[in-house]
Amino acid sequence: MNRRSTALLSLTALLAAGLTAVPAGPAGAEEVETIRNGTFDSGADSWWTSGVTAATTGGTLCADVPGSTTNTWDAAVGQNDLTLVKGESYRIAFRADGTPAGHSVRAVVGLQVAPYDAYHEVVPRLSVSGDSYAYTFVSPVDTDRGQVAFQLGGAADPWRFCLDDVSLLGGVPPEAYEPDTGPRVRVNQVAYLPRGPKNATLVTEATERLPWQLKDAAGTVVAHGRTLPRGVDPSSGQNVHSLDFGEHRRTGRGFTLVADGATSRPFDIGTEAYDRLRLDAAKFYYTQRSGTPIREDLRPGHGRAAGHLDVAPNRGDGAVPCQPGVCDYTLDVTGGWYDAGDHGKYVVNGGISVWQLLATHERALHARTGDPDALGDGTLALPESDNGVPDILDEARWELEFLLKMQVPAGEPLAGMAHHKIHDEQWTGLPLMPADDPQKRELHPPTTAATLNLAATAAQAARLYEEYDPRFAATALTAARTAWAAALAHPDVLASESDGIGGGAYADRNVTDEFYWAAAELYLTTGEKEFQDHVLASPLHTADVFGPVAFDWAATAAAARLDLATVPSRLPGRDRVRQSVRAGADRYLATLKAHPYGMPYAPEGQRYDWGSTHQILNNAVVLATAHDLTGSAKYRDGAVQSMDYVLGRNALNVSYVTGYGEVHAHNQHSRWYAHQLDPNLPHPPAGSLSGGPNSSIQDPLAQAKLKGCTGQFCYIDDIQSWSTNELTINWNSALTWMASFVADQH
Ligand code: 9MR
């Protein structure tokens, strides 16, 4: 639902008919009907209409929907003033038809007043003969301003919609959700490297070793062996065995593994998929760009109008004011990448994302297996391709230019610091193309964390762009120095945890790690004593920074440590720095070996983090870096094996990368890759990483379907599940780095 929509709707015939109790459901709780006159036996009483000509005949409401409307909310039927109880399970049901065939209705249960939140929405395609629809969800709020709306606009030609038997039943038993996990042999559904590790997991009640067979595409057994019983895996609650077919090295497509009467999904043995994945993961960023049209010729199926230029209905990012009381200037903050499925742009998260793309390039310069041409000029089909600059640097620069624009101008209070973020005043609904966002945009207060993200990445940029554009490198270094000085002058200006309306908070209470990171990048670029002193004096320099999750947008110390270990410098004690990476990698390797699903991630209590897939990949980055530092095969194998989980060797038997693997995430939460809500919109492009299992299941859909889930099961491939199934710039940067590493291990 576009939350703006209901603000425009007029209300008619609001009769407070009271709530009707209906017989108890199977769970014994009392089920309560919330809709008044859902059968239209009393004509259109209690219902409003907007932008349609509607009438009831014979207990059915039919609406003539005009053609040539723009938005779904331009034509609608609905009912307001419904009471919803937080945590209660509801079933929304209705019968509907549409003539001629092919039209869809957007059925929304949400808030009838600003900010027009949608608690449940579906967009079924209607038939001419009519169908019944029913969906269960959990209300995330208490409100007596609930609304059910059927949005009908947006079609070129007139059509007719008929509706009957509308019900919103409270107190229904929550829907039992059983994910379809397919065959019990779990494999990397994409590809194993010919000379790499090859492991799989079998879900079985058996406690004794079982025979397995590897079959080629023709069904011929090409290898066989016996499984290793592993007991109950705490991350899934399943009894599992693991199996190792690493001795088989012959390449091919369409292999399967057979064990315990189950046949795995097919997979390849080869390297081609990783060459492709390296490019696709990095290509993700062009389609996240703000402030420029996405060219259809460069991204077939994903072209779109420029977002947030100063063209209506966008309010534009060309002259964005601060939130009231924060500043009295405006900034041109056009450009940059949209953070995720929302239209927000955040310096903090932009920082780690840029860092990791630049680190992918920098690794290629220094690592024994690195290949700077792999993401070089002309590889990513960008508007800047063939300009003599590696495409990965062109892409990262799109965000860097934006980060620089977020710096408070000289002469203003807090000059040199960076605004934490810029986004809509209110949350918007889905789908919503960037160019169609009507919300006011605002700058949020500068913070120390954002300022240090700018200092770190601009300093890193200064050394990497020097060869291609010395002027830009110099500009970046000046901005980094200015930001560093501003952060030292204002070392504890923190983002507010509650600043999460219209965009994510990205609040970080501890910036010691950001200081360490910025100092490290400034030191690696300049070699200057001031920065060296800060690095050596940081309590984090000698601390164990390789915890259950190595690094992310909020925890950047390990990012600093990896660069201090790999980027050439004269840092005193550099050997110990390198040794610390190895020690961290040893622990991730131990975690991986103990894990029956073979991954370097075992959060305390199996509480999976928001974006767990990228945490797994970032831990694998530490393993990969240990290989780059030492040449030791065990670290390379650990890093390569970590990809198996992300690509399908997991409890849900799903690849978390769109377009990769037989069953893969493709309904990620996004306002413009919203195919699940509007068949005219695309799925995310191939190579988009889903955040994956998140034990905290913050969104209502996940709460309705996944309550009580164990670790790996806290995931659903549904566009409404923003806490388990979003896509983001910082998650795809982990995928880009790791896909690049694996592709280099040919
Ligand atoms: O990935 C972020 C997660 O670590 C935080 O806990 C959460 C709350 O601040 O926000 C997540 O990031 C979201 C951001 O706030 C807004 N854009 C979408 C991001 C991914 O869901």
Side-chain angles (χ1 to χ4, degrees):
M1 163 191 193
N2 184 300
R3 294 169 203 184
R4 181 178 75 164
S5 58
T6 41
L8 307 174
L9 301 177
S10 61
L11 306 185
T12 63
L14 271 176
L15 293 186
L19 303 175
T20 322
V22 296
E30 194 180 12
E31 295 184 348
V32 177
E33 179 56 72
T34 310
I35 292 285
R36 303 173 296 274
N37 184 31
T39 53
F40 301 101
D41 289 346
S42 316
D45 284 358
S46 298
W47 291 89
W48 51 256
T49 63
S50 169
V52 297
T53 310
T56 54
T57 29
T60 299
L61 180 139
C62 288
D64 286 308
V65 185
S68 305
T69 58
T70 312
N71 306 297
T72 52
W73 59 88
D74 292 340
V77 176
Q79 187 169 123
N80 279 13
D81 296 334
L82 309 175
T83 298
L84 297 171
V85 179
K86 185 175 176 167
E88 177 131 327
S89 197
Y90 289 85
R91 183 185 306 121
I92 170 79
F94 55 93
R95 197 181 154 72
D97 63 67
T99 312
H103 289 281
S104 301
V105 57
R106 172 166 299 134
V108 185
V109 185
L111 194 59
Q112 73 198 38
V113 291
Y116 306 105
D117 291 325
Y119 308 133
H120 182 266
E121 62 180 298
V122 285
V123 191
R125 194 176 275 246
L126 302 168
S127 69
V128 174
S129 55
D131 290 293
S132 294
Y133 302 89
Y135 312 87
T136 306
F137 69 100
V138 174
S139 174
V141 294
D142 278 316
T143 181
D144 53 10
R145 305 298 218 40
Q147 177 189 69
V148 167
F150 297 90
Q151 299 183 356
L152 308 164
D157 299 317
W159 63 289
R160 188 172 167 83
F161 169 74
C162 294
L163 180 67
D164 204 353
D165 298 333
V166 184
S167 161
L168 179 63
L169 207 55
V172 299
E175 201 174 277
Y177 169 69
E178 269 299 317
D180 178 5
T181 55
R184 289 179 293 106
V185 188
R186 303 294 156 74
V187 296
N188 175 333
Q189 294 175 27
V190 178
Y192 294 90
L193 293 185
R195 291 174 175 281
K198 297 176 196 71
N199 296 277
T201 300
L202 169 69
V203 181
T204 175
E205 290 309 313
T207 50
E208 303 294 309
R209 300 183 81 148
L210 294 171
W212 59 259
Q213 295 178 323
L214 175 68
K215 293 187 176 173
D216 65 14
T220 308
V221 176
V222 293
H224 59 91
R226 289 170 86 75
T227 63
L228 185 65
R230 303 290 294 266
V232 174
D233 160 41
S235 73
S236 63
Q238 300 162 325
N239 191 69
V240 293
H241 295 194
S242 57
L243 61 96
D244 181 345
F245 59 108
E247 280 175 20
H248 180 89
R249 292 182 160 193
R250 204 147 342 116
T251 59
R253 314 193 69 137
F255 288 95
T256 52
L257 270 173
V258 181
D260 199 22
T263 301
S264 76
R265 291 190 173 137
F267 56 87
D268 296 348
I269 296 177
T271 55
E272 178 271 339
Y274 293 100
D275 293 331
R276 229 173 348 112
L277 182 57
R278 159 164 40 204
L279 298 177
D280 283 345
K283 282 179 166 179
F284 167 87
Y285 292 89
Y286 174 53
T287 36
Q288 289 294 116
R289 285 191 191 183
S290 177
T292 188
I294 304 307
R295 280 168 47 184
E296 180 71 22
D297 61 322
L298 299 178
R299 291 293 181 280
H302 287 101
R304 61 169 169 82
H308 298 95
L309 293 179
D310 301 336
V311 178
N314 277 174
R315 312 275 278 269
D317 290 351
V320 180
C322 283
Q323 286 178 302
V326 169
C327 75
D328 53 14
Y329 50 84
T330 61
L331 290 182
D332 172 358
V333 291
T334 49
W337 301 316
Y338 296 117
D339 186 56
D342 59 330
H343 299 147
K345 304 192 294 194
Y346 311 83
V347 172
V348 161
N349 201 42
I352 196 75
S353 312
V354 162
W355 173 81
Q356 202 160 25
L357 290 196
L358 294 183
T360 304
H361 173 71
E362 196 158 34
R363 174 189 172 274
L365 300 177
H366 302 308
R368 258 169 290 197
T369 58
D371 173 11
D373 293 335
L375 291 168
D377 194 22
T379 55
L380 297 178
L382 301 177
E384 300 84 6
S385 290
D386 303 319
N387 64 354
V389 178
D391 279 6
I392 185 98
L393 293 186
D394 285 327
E395 190 56 67
R397 184 164 172 172
W398 189 264
E399 179 75 358
L400 275 160
E401 302 267 14
F402 160 74
L403 297 179
L404 296 178
K405 291 177 181 177
M406 291 290 279
Q407 196 161 26
V408 177
E412 301 291 350
L414 301 178
M417 292 191 75
H419 287 275
H420 199 67
K421 52 182 187 163
I422 175 254
H423 58 67
D424 292 335
E425 187 179 27
Q426 300 287 343
W427 283 108
T428 55
L430 279 68
L432 184 63
M433 297 304 285
D436 295 337
D437 174 13
Q439 282 280 331
K440 180 183 177 194
R441 310 275 281 177
E442 290 178 329
L443 292 166
H444 290 242
T447 62
T448 310
T451 305
L452 291 167
N453 268 263
L454 175 58
T457 51
Q460 180 193 21
R463 63 177 182 267
L464 293 171
Y465 291 84
E466 174 67 31
E467 179 184 347
Y468 302 101
D469 186 344
R471 273 185 56 190
F472 176 63
T475 303
L477 188 55
T478 303
R481 289 181 189 279
T482 306
W484 172 258
L488 284 180
H490 308 282
D492 51 11
V493 182
L494 302 182
S496 162
E497 304 265 358
S498 56
D499 189 11
I501 295 173
Y506 281 121
D508 184 356
R509 262 184 246 140
N510 184 343
V511 293
T512 316
D513 51 329
E514 281 79 9
F515 270 109
Y516 179 50
W517 179 38
E521 298 302 342
L522 278 158
Y523 168 71
L524 290 170
T525 297
T526 66
E528 288 171 15
K529 184 156 184 317
E530 177 194 351
F531 304 119
Q532 174 179 305
D533 288 349
H534 195 98
V535 166
L536 297 178
S538 169
L540 290 171
H541 189 54
T542 46
D544 177 6
V545 295
F546 299 106
V549 298
F551 59 90
D552 60 20
W553 64 264
T556 59
R561 190 73 68 77
L562 295 179
D563 275 1
L564 290 171
T566 54
V567 179
S569 78
R570 294 168 178 276
L571 185 74
R574 188 156 174 270
D575 283 351
R576 280 197 303 280
V577 171
R578 292 161 75 93
Q579 181 51 37
S580 77
V581 174
R582 198 174 172 158
D586 282 334
R587 270 205 317 273
Y588 294 128
L589 205 52
T591 302
L592 177 149
K593 291 223 153 91
H595 203 302
Y597 278 97
M599 57 166 136
Y601 178 72
E604 210 179 314
Q606 304 301 331
R607 291 203 61 77
Y608 273 51
D609 295 279
W610 196 327
S612 61
T613 54
H614 100 296
Q615 304 289 19
I616 293 162
L617 291 171
N618 279 345
N619 290 356
V621 165
V622 179
L623 287 165
T625 304
H627 171 70
D628 287 341
L629 292 173
T630 65
S632 165
K634 65 179 178 182
Y635 300 126
R636 179 199 59 213
D637 286 356
V640 170
Q641 188 181 159
S642 304
M643 289 297 269
D644 296 346
Y645 168 84
V646 172
L647 297 176
R649 184 193 176 194
N650 54 54
L652 287 170
N653 205 353
V654 66
S655 161
Y656 289 105
V657 181
T658 306
Y660 285 77
E662 193 178 76
V663 175
H664 58 85
H666 57 282
N667 291 317
Q668 285 96 322
H669 180 83
S670 162
R671 279 164 181 69
W672 57 104
Y673 304 130
H675 182 88
Q676 192 186 337
L677 298 175
D678 178 349
N680 298 315
L681 293 174
H683 285 297
S688 300
L689 179 69
S690 165
N694 169 5
S695 297
S696 301
I697 51 170
Q698 287 89 341
D699 65 85
L701 184 106
Q703 286 163 8
K705 306 260 183 191
L706 306 174
K707 205 168 173 196
C709 57
T710 301
Q712 289 197 50
F713 282 103
C714 300
Y715 171 76
I716 183 165
D717 184 22
D718 191 296
I719 193 163
Q720 304 295 0
S721 185
W722 44 263
S723 69
T724 80
N725 195 38
E726 198 160 346
L727 40 72
T728 72
I729 56 173
N730 60 317
W731 302 342
N732 248 74
S733 62
L735 183 66
T736 303
W737 198 107
M738 273 305 297
S740 197
F741 175 85
V742 176
D744 283 342
Q745 306 311 309
H746 291 178

